[in-house]
Each structure stands twice: as structure tokens, then as C-alpha cells.
Amino acid sequence: MVRMMETSVIDMTAGIDGTEMARAGRIIREGGLVAFPTETVYGLGANALDEEASAKIYAAKGRPSDNPLIVHICEFSALDKIASQIPEAAVKLADAFWPGPLTMIFPKTEMVPYGTTGGLDTVAVRMPDHPIAQALIEAGGGYIAAPSANTSGRPSPTKAAHVAEDLSGRIDMILDGGAVGIGLESTIVDLTGEYPVILRPGYINQSMLEAVIGKVKMDPGLTADDPNLRPKAPGMKYRHYAPKASLTIVEGEAQAVRRKINELAREEQKAGGMIGIIATQESAADYPIGIVKAAGTRTEELTIAMHLYSILREFDELGVSKIYSEAFDTPQMGQAIMNRLIKAAGHQIITA
Ligand code: AMP
Ligand code: MG
């Protein structure tokens, strides 16, 4: 049972308010919950070293208890206390990408309660590149466990209003830092095995990692249709990011994709359905039927990543019956964007 409470929403879009930040830090140190912006998505923070505080995150989100939390730090020296081994590769990756959208997995020390790691002997750690996140970690004692600040199963929040929609009355405070810059969760790399493995693709992609530490593999469980081949990150097996309407992705040559989506939309319209289409600025005008939302432009793939979750939320609100989306196999973030989209589509993907 979650005790209902008053959630204060603090506007920090114009800058950090020191008094309110000190109050937020106190809430964390006393075992409460504060949602905050990072450069990837909004996080729901609690003291990572306090098992009871972590338990509140699971309760507020309705998150399955085997799905571990990422611990956020704001200085590299903080890693020693929570990771029992820090391989050379981690030092190199931290040098290259921290603070930034990269999470690394380490064997945990006794300081980290199992209630934070979902019962695992490993801990996921990230240093976010956002002034509000960094100030909160510092004020809150240095170790903040934070998954995305959405109700479990809904798209991750990319604005404070999304957090309020899902968690108002269930958490102590929301720090509003405006819209986030990336819009998809961090890349997760496991460094505890023989070679580094990507457990979740993100803004920092395989070739960027390989340029720093050599060969990096992708977790085969990420792309497999075989239900026996489970993803190694416990959270990746859940059907996250699920919109209420059924979502179908259409891939293929650009013109063929537009024709196919229009054909599917006409059929759905005849059947009396309400249609949502996820397009780009390049293609939006080519869809005469349905509510068309341009995620961004193909020449700037970050714009697509940034708007994807909020479009899924908007289609939920509009109550569309079917969503059709173009595929977004863009050069840097294509793997990450398609990983989230395919999960939202429950693997419904057709070739035009
Ligand atoms: P979220 O912050 O909501 O994106 O969820 C955190 C993600 O990190 C989930 O997919 C978890 O399964 C993953 N994760 C956290 N800790 C670990 C760990 N020790 N080993 C593998 N995956 C982890
Ligand atoms: Mg999440």
C-alpha cells in the first residue's frame, strides 16, 4: 500500500533554487522520494544505501521487485564504496563518457542493499550529466537509486508533467528542470564478464564504446524472438513503454513505407477506428488519414529520440485504436530508438 501524500512540484527551469535543493536533499537523506531531471529521462530518486527507501520506489511505481535500480553518483571517487572491483575498462569508459548517459555494472559491496539491486550481487552505476541531478545527488548524500519516474509499464517521462501524471500523490517532490535533452534511457554495459556486453542500447552506441575499449558485444537476449533467450538486464524482459493502442512498425524503403501505412490506415478507418501515425517532418504531409505526429527530423536523430515517449503518451490520451510508426534505423541512435519502439509494439513489425 502506498500512503498518499502531497507532492511538491518545484520549478527549477530558470536555475537551481538552493533552499529548495537543500530541502530535496533532506527528503532523500530521511528516506523519501524525489523525482528529478537527468539528460536521459526523469528519474525517481531515493537513498540507494537505505533498503527501506529503495522499497518505496518499487511501491510508488508498481515496479516488479526483481527489476534492479541504477545508483547515481556525482563524483568518480564515490564508486569505491559501492563497487568491489573496478576494471580498467570502466576507468576508461568513465573518462570518456562520465558524466553522461552510460550505466556500468560492477560487483557490489556490502554497502549496497539487495533491496536496491533486486537481489543481485551486482550494482548498476551512472553519473548523470545534468546540473539538477548532480546537485540533488550531492545534497542527498552521494548515492541516489533512480529508475525512470513513470508508473511501471508506461513510457518513461521526458518532462516533469509526465512524472506528475503518473506519480502525483505518491512521492514527496518533483524537481522540474524542463524537457530532457536525450529522451531515451542510458546505455547499460556489463563489465563483470569476460568481455563487455551492452545490456540496453542508448545514446552511447556500440562503436562509440569500441573506440575506447575495443570489442563490445550486444546481449543476444535483446533482439531474440526466442522467449527462452532472456535479456541479461532484468528490466529488459518486461513489456515496457506499452501504449494503450496496438502499435505496428512498418519498415522498408521510404516511399513503400508511406504507401503501406496509408493502406493500413484506410482499412482501420473503414473499420471505424481512430488512427495515430508516427512520422517525421520529412514525411508527415504524405499521410492524409489519421492524427499524424512528426517525432522529429531524420537529419537530426536526437529530435526523434526526444519526442518518442511523449508522442506515445499523447496517443494514449487521445484514445486512438491503432498506431502505425515508421521505422527509425538512424546512424547513431537507431539501435536504441528501435529497441524501445519494438518493445512498445510488442514486436509487431512488418516490411513494406
Ligand atoms: P530504469 O532506470 O527504469 O531504466 O531501469 C533500470 C534498468 O537497469 C533496468 O532495465 C534494470 O534491469 C537494469 N539494471 C539495473 N541494475 C542492474 C544489474 N545489476 N544488472 C543488470 N541490469 C541492471
Ligand atoms: Mg524504466
Side-chain angles (χ1 to χ4, degrees):
M1 262 294 282
V2 178
R3 188 172 54 87
M4 294 310 268
M5 59 179 96
E6 179 100 20
T7 302
S8 4
V9 180
I10 310 297
D11 183 354
M12 294 201 183
T13 49
I16 293 174
D17 173 330
T19 312
E20 290 293 354
M21 188 55 83
R23 185 157 80 92
R26 225 163 25 244
I27 292 172
I28 296 282
R29 280 184 274 107
E30 287 168 3
L33 300 181
V34 178
F36 61 98
T38 78
E39 77 280 33
T40 59
V41 299
Y42 272 75
L44 176 59
N47 179 0
L49 308 184
D50 174 350
E51 188 141 38
E52 278 175 39
S54 288
K56 289 186 193 164
I57 292 180
Y58 288 90
K61 283 184 55 113
R63 183 176 174 99
S65 62
D66 70 343
N67 189 2
L69 309 175
I70 294 172
V71 179
H72 293 70
I73 57 176
C74 61
E75 51 193 12
F76 188 77
S77 60
L79 193 55
D80 285 341
K81 199 163 140 185
I82 53 173
S84 64
Q85 282 163 42
I86 303 171
E88 187 55 35
V91 179
K92 286 188 184 157
L93 289 177
D95 263 350
F97 300 116
W98 275 4
L102 177 69
T103 296
M104 294 190 266
I105 311 282
F106 301 94
K108 78 172 195 70
T109 64
E110 281 183 4
M111 291 296 297
V112 188
Y114 283 111
T116 296
T117 66
L120 298 177
D121 287 314
T122 52
V123 61
V125 188
R126 173 164 115 80
M127 191 191 294
D129 185 16
H130 193 292
I132 297 178
Q134 289 169 354
L136 181 69
I137 297 164
E138 169 123 53
Y143 299 91
I144 294 193
S148 49
N150 51 288
T151 300
S152 215
R154 295 216 71 203
S156 294
T158 55
K159 322 174 185 171
H162 296 157
V163 181
E165 237 169 68
D166 283 12
L167 298 176
S168 214
R170 306 168 82 87
I171 64 178
D172 298 284
M173 190 185 259
I174 299 171
L175 302 179
D176 182 355
V180 300
I182 294 179
L184 295 182
E185 304 84 348
S186 60
T187 307
I188 304 181
V189 182
D190 186 357
L191 297 167
T192 62
E194 212 175 305
Y195 44 80
V197 181
I198 297 175
L199 305 188
R200 176 171 74 185
Y203 176 82
I204 295 172
N205 66 17
Q206 191 168 10
S207 54
M208 291 160 80
L209 296 168
E210 288 185 333
V212 179
I213 54 168
K215 185 77 195 146
V216 174
K217 299 200 176 181
M218 283 294 273
D219 177 5
L222 280 178
T223 44
D225 275 334
D226 178 358
N228 295 317
L229 203 57
R230 292 206 139 184
K232 232 189 133 207
M236 298 301 279
K237 68 173 183 281
Y238 293 107
R239 190 178 165 208
H240 265 180
Y241 332 117
K244 289 175 191 152
S246 113
L247 164 62
T248 303
I249 304 165
V250 182
E251 62 176 9
E253 184 275 318
Q255 287 306 326
V257 166
R258 292 173 206 188
R259 266 198 309 275
K260 185 72 192 172
I261 290 181
N262 281 327
E263 182 190 315
L264 292 168
R266 265 193 305 276
E267 281 167 25
E268 179 65 13
Q269 192 184 43
K270 267 194 212 137
M274 182 174 165
I275 299 121
I277 295 173
I278 307 179
T280 58
Q281 279 168 28
E282 289 80 5
S283 65
D286 293 338
Y287 298 107
I289 299 173
I291 302 164
V292 184
K293 295 200 182 273
T297 157
R298 285 186 186 267
T299 55
E300 250 181 276
E301 50 184 310
L302 206 50
T303 59
I304 298 173
M306 250 171 64
H307 296 120
L308 192 61
Y309 285 145
S310 101
I311 288 177
L312 292 175
R313 280 180 181 261
E314 287 164 23
F315 280 142
D316 270 356
E317 256 167 52
L318 290 164
V320 300
S321 54
K322 285 263 164 59
I323 305 170
Y324 303 107
S325 178
E326 296 178 4
F328 301 106
D329 293 305
T330 54
Q332 190 196 322
M333 292 187 73
Q335 248 175 352
I337 296 171
M338 288 307 288
N339 168 266
R340 310 308 195 277
L341 200 56
I342 288 170
K343 278 175 64 171
H347 291 264
Q348 288 190 80
I349 176 157
I350 58 175
T351 304

